[in-house]
């Protein structure tokens, strides 16, 4: 039984880090049998709009939220949320681009955040990195009526298998909170179906599909973006 448990834990850990491995090793194009929006997208999104997501908050996320509130209380200017920030490269980049804005990066992997802290030598004073799960932080912000001027989600794990639709942000029960979380929302991906789905889900949620364009980056915001672009992948950007 112990061997089975260890195998299960090991498999779960590998799945969590699998998306990061794409950057660390050779950049592969996303392989999926899905070429159009998931056939249950309207049904699933409407259900999540109608039924509140009430999963209990995890303790470490509540503690991270406390640190976020403390830092926000010390800042009087614009504030930005950078979710799924990985090593924090995008958080540092955004902080340099918007020096008057407090940029708050969130990622669930302490390993990635620690690696980023060791890599990015040019730190800025207007950013905060938190190890937490986005779904809890988003819900806590909405519950406390904390709203950001801008929210970015760059290259989230696309979960390209059709059966994993519920793991994509627009297929997740937390999706409706995104409309209450910020004035503007931006996503980037190298898998266009992900953003086409997100656009369709956003229209069901807000009445507007947002804007989807092909992206030609002038400055790389993440290690994913650099790797994908230099590997010849098409990049896409969606804005609310």
């Amino acid at each position: 039984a112990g061997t089975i448990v260890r195998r299960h834990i090991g498999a779960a850990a590998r799945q969590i880090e699998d998306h990061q491995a794409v950057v660390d090793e050779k950049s592969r194009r996303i392989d999926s049998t899905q070429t159009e929006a998931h056939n249950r997208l309207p049904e699933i999104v409407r259900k999540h709009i109608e039924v509140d997501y009430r999963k209990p908050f995890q303790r470490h996320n509540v503690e991270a939220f406390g640190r976020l509130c403390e830092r926000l209380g010390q800042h009087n200017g614009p504030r930005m949320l950078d979710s799924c920030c990985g090593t924090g490269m995008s958080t540092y980049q955004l902080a340099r681009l918007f020096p008057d804005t407090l940029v708050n990066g969130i990622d669930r992997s302490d390993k990635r955040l620690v690696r980023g802290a060791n890599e990015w030598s040019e730190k800025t004073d207007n950013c905060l990195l938190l190890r937490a799960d986005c779904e809890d932080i988003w819900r806590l912000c909405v519950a406390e009526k904390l709203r950001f001027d801008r929210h970015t989600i760059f290259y989230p794990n696309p979960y390209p298998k059709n059966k994993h639709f519920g793991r994509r942000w627009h297929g997740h029960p937390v999706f409706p909170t995104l409309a209450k979380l910020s004035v503007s929302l931006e996503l980037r991906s190298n898998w266009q179906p992900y953003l086409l789905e997100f656009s369709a889900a956003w229209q069901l949620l807000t009445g507007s599909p947002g804007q989807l364009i092909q992206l030609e980056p002038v400055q790389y915001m993440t290690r994913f973006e650099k790797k994908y672009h230099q590997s010849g992948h098409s990049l896409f950007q969606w804005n609310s």
Side-chain angles (χ1 to χ4, degrees):
T3 301
I4 294 174
V5 170
R6 286 194 295 272
R7 287 175 180 173
H8 178 74
I9 294 173
R14 287 193 295 273
Q15 184 178 25
I16 290 173
E17 298 297 333
D18 186 52
H19 187 45
Q20 184 69 24
V22 176
V23 169
D24 296 334
E25 300 172 0
K26 182 179 179 181
S27 181
R28 304 181 298 271
R29 295 187 183 276
I30 294 176
D31 182 21
S32 175
T33 58
Q34 185 180 333
T35 57
E36 56 186 22
H38 194 282
N39 60 352
R40 293 187 59 210
L41 184 149
E43 171 196 347
I44 293 172
V45 172
R46 288 193 180 100
K47 176 183 176 181
H48 294 159
I49 292 172
E50 294 169 0
V51 180
D52 289 340
Y53 182 43
R54 297 185 179 276
K55 181 180 178 180
F57 298 114
Q58 295 186 54
R59 182 175 179 177
H60 75 279
N61 293 327
V62 175
E63 293 172 351
F65 179 70
R67 293 194 294 275
L68 173 63
C69 289
E70 181 180 1
R71 188 64 185 274
L72 289 173
Q74 300 168 354
H75 179 76
N76 295 321
R79 48 200 187 188
M80 186 183 303
L81 191 63
D82 183 31
S83 295
C84 311
C85 69
T87 61
M89 176 179 174
S90 55
T91 308
Y92 291 131
Q93 295 280 58
L94 290 166
R96 284 194 287 266
L97 288 172
F98 303 97
D100 296 327
T101 299
L102 176 62
V103 185
N104 304 277
I106 302 171
D107 198 86
R108 66 180 177 180
S109 170
D110 185 62
K111 178 181 177 181
R112 288 195 287 263
L113 291 172
V114 169
R115 179 167 60 185
N118 294 329
E119 286 183 0
W120 318 124
S121 57
E122 297 181 14
K123 302 298 191 298
T124 59
D125 295 328
N126 61 316
C127 70
L128 173 68
L129 293 176
L130 293 171
R131 188 261 168 177
D133 297 294
C134 291
E135 53 265 41
D136 274 7
I137 296 296
W138 295 350
R139 288 189 295 147
L140 287 165
C141 284
V142 169
E144 294 299 320
K145 295 181 170 55
L146 291 180
R147 190 167 169 84
F148 295 84
D149 297 281
R150 184 180 176 188
H151 184 194
T152 56
I153 309 176
F154 293 151
Y155 304 93
N157 191 328
Y159 294 106
K161 292 184 179 180
N162 194 58
K163 65 180 180 180
H164 291 158
F165 174 79
R167 300 181 186 180
R168 303 170 195 169
W169 285 127
H170 46 279
H172 193 284
V174 79
F175 174 68
T177 65
L178 289 174
K180 304 174 184 177
L181 193 57
S182 62
V183 177
S184 68
L185 173 64
E186 176 185 344
L187 277 77
R188 295 185 183 184
S189 179
N190 66 325
W191 192 43
Q192 190 178 26
Y194 186 96
L195 295 184
L196 288 171
E197 281 189 345
F198 195 95
S199 176
W202 192 257
Q203 184 163 23
L204 288 170
L205 179 62
T206 69
S208 170
Q211 183 182 30
L212 177 61
I213 62 172
Q214 188 159 349
L215 175 68
E216 188 61 37
V218 176
Q219 178 180 5
Y220 295 127
M221 298 304 294
T222 75
R223 298 173 72 227
F224 283 110
E225 189 162 84
K226 179 179 180 180
K227 194 80 171 183
Y228 293 153
H229 187 247
Q230 292 183 349
S231 298
H233 295 206
S234 294
L235 305 180
F236 303 92
Q237 174 183 302
W238 177 91
N239 290 93
S240 61

